[in-house]
Amino acid sequence: MDGNAFLRENRGKGGGTAKRLRKGCGEERRMSKPRILVSACLLGVCCRYNAERTVLPELEALMERAELIPVCPETLGGLPTPRPAAERRGGRVINCAGVDVTQAYARGAEETLRLAKLFGVRTALMKERSPSCGAGEIYDGSFSHVRAPGDGVAAQMLRESGMAVYGESRIGELMEMLKGEDK
């Protein structure tokens, strides 16, 4: 099987493992790095609700092992930067002015999932406690900084599609998983 046939056959399968192609004399050549969806704000993109820039330094090591695909579900949903803080309240997303912004968050989550599928992504590293990207823990909807178990709208949609979703405090686990796939 030639390289192009291999790529056609495996397009969109993702799976998080680097694809390998046999190349004469048993030598293997890496075809591509695994692709990981990353909250764009963790890479320093000015898209957070308060327009502050943050950079997760550990991402430099992750970039050596994986192709990072930045996304911001909130801006993909049409929300501006800066924007009023928002939190999940049951099945809705409400901003601190009391405005229901659920539709924008749902639209951004759908676009994020569409991009993940387009690029064959099976793993995501998301901004914790965000109403869109929060992975495993979000704010409780009272705007009092009380944390509660749960996922943001996009993180929930990605998980429901079968993707592995990590919060930034779990980047070490993600790196270990990638090391295991290299073997």
Side-chain angles (χ1 to χ4, degrees), residues 103-175:
Q103 284 187 327
Y105 279 78
R107 189 170 46 250
E110 290 164 0
E111 284 300 300
T112 299
L113 179 58
R114 188 184 69 75
L115 287 169
K117 289 178 177 179
L118 179 68
F119 285 98
V121 174
R122 302 292 304 140
T123 306
L125 179 67
M126 307 298 274
K127 177 70 185 113
E128 293 171 344
R129 295 177 295 283
S130 158
S132 57
C133 296
E137 182 179 75
I138 56 175
Y139 290 113
D140 72 352
S142 67
F143 295 95
S144 58
H145 300 286
V146 174
R147 298 175 185 183
D151 286 331
V153 178
Q156 179 180 343
M157 190 173 284
L158 294 172
R159 275 192 212 279
E160 288 172 354
S161 78
M163 285 184 64
V165 180
Y166 294 81
E168 77 264 25
S169 68
R170 295 180 55 214
I171 194 169
E173 292 175 48
L174 179 54
M175 293 292 288

Side-chain angles (χ1 to χ4, degrees), residues 76-98:
L76 287 170
L79 295 169
T81 301
R83 58 189 163 273
E87 295 184 4
R88 287 194 82 171
R89 196 177 293 160
R92 313 299 301 166
V93 182
I94 310 297
N95 72 20
C96 60

Side-chain angles (χ1 to χ4, degrees), residues 35-84:
R35 293 176 175 163
I36 298 175
L37 212 62
V38 177
S39 293
C41 63
L42 297 176
L43 292 164
V45 174
C46 184
C47 58
R48 287 174 47 99
Y49 77 96
N50 58 7
E52 288 183 9
R53 290 185 190 272
T54 60
V55 177
L56 188 63
E58 296 91 338
L59 287 178
E60 193 169 318
L62 186 60
M63 280 190 262
E64 293 175 14
R65 295 192 170 277
E67 182 180 341
L68 305 184
I69 300 171
V71 295
C72 177
E74 295 173 20
T75 58
L76 287 170
L79 295 169
T81 301
R83 58 189 163 273

